Amino acid sequence: MTCTIFYSTEMPNEQAKVTGGIPTKPMRWAVDYVVKTPDGRTVVQGEKTIQRATFEELRAVMNHTIGEIGDEVGNEATFVSWRATAHGGKKKNRKGGKRK
């Protein structure tokens, strides 16, 4: 199972786009984010790993992270985006039942 969440300030209604199934249990997320200023330069482009977070916890962590970055650039960012990906989950044995 793979779940990808993409958020950008240029999306309609500023809602995140989710691809794949949202995990019900906390997962490890790999996150990439970009923040740009009015003059077009990229202020922050980074990566981070969030250990064992649910979908709602991930959104809260990213809102906090982007808020801190916004404070660093004087709240003048014109474009903010982030993409989070989680891989794994419980795999079902699809052939022949349980192995002993």
Side-chain angles (χ1 to χ4, degrees), residues 44-87:
V44 176
Q45 183 171 4
E47 299 176 0
K48 70 189 298 181
T49 301
I50 299 172
Q51 298 291 334
R52 299 191 46 82
T54 63
F55 176 70
E56 295 303 321
E57 292 170 341
L58 172 71
R59 289 182 61 129
V61 168
M62 287 310 298
N63 286 339
H64 179 72
T65 301
I66 296 300
E68 287 180 348
I69 294 169
D71 292 341
E72 289 177 15
V73 297
N75 291 320
E76 294 184 2
T78 57
F79 176 78
V80 175
S81 73
W82 56 268
R83 178 184 314 270
T85 306
H87 299 286

Side-chain angles (χ1 to χ4, degrees), residues 31-48:
V31 182
D32 301 320
Y33 52 91
V34 175
V35 178
K36 294 185 179 181
T37 57
D39 59 359
R41 67 183 178 94
T42 301
V43 175
V44 176
Q45 183 171 4
E47 299 176 0
K48 70 189 298 181

Side-chain angles (χ1 to χ4, degrees), residues 10-28:
E10 296 180 350
M11 296 180 77
N13 301 327
E14 293 193 11
Q15 291 185 348
K17 180 180 178 185
V18 178
T19 306
I22 296 174
T24 56
K25 295 183 179 180
M27 298 288 292
R28 182 175 181 251

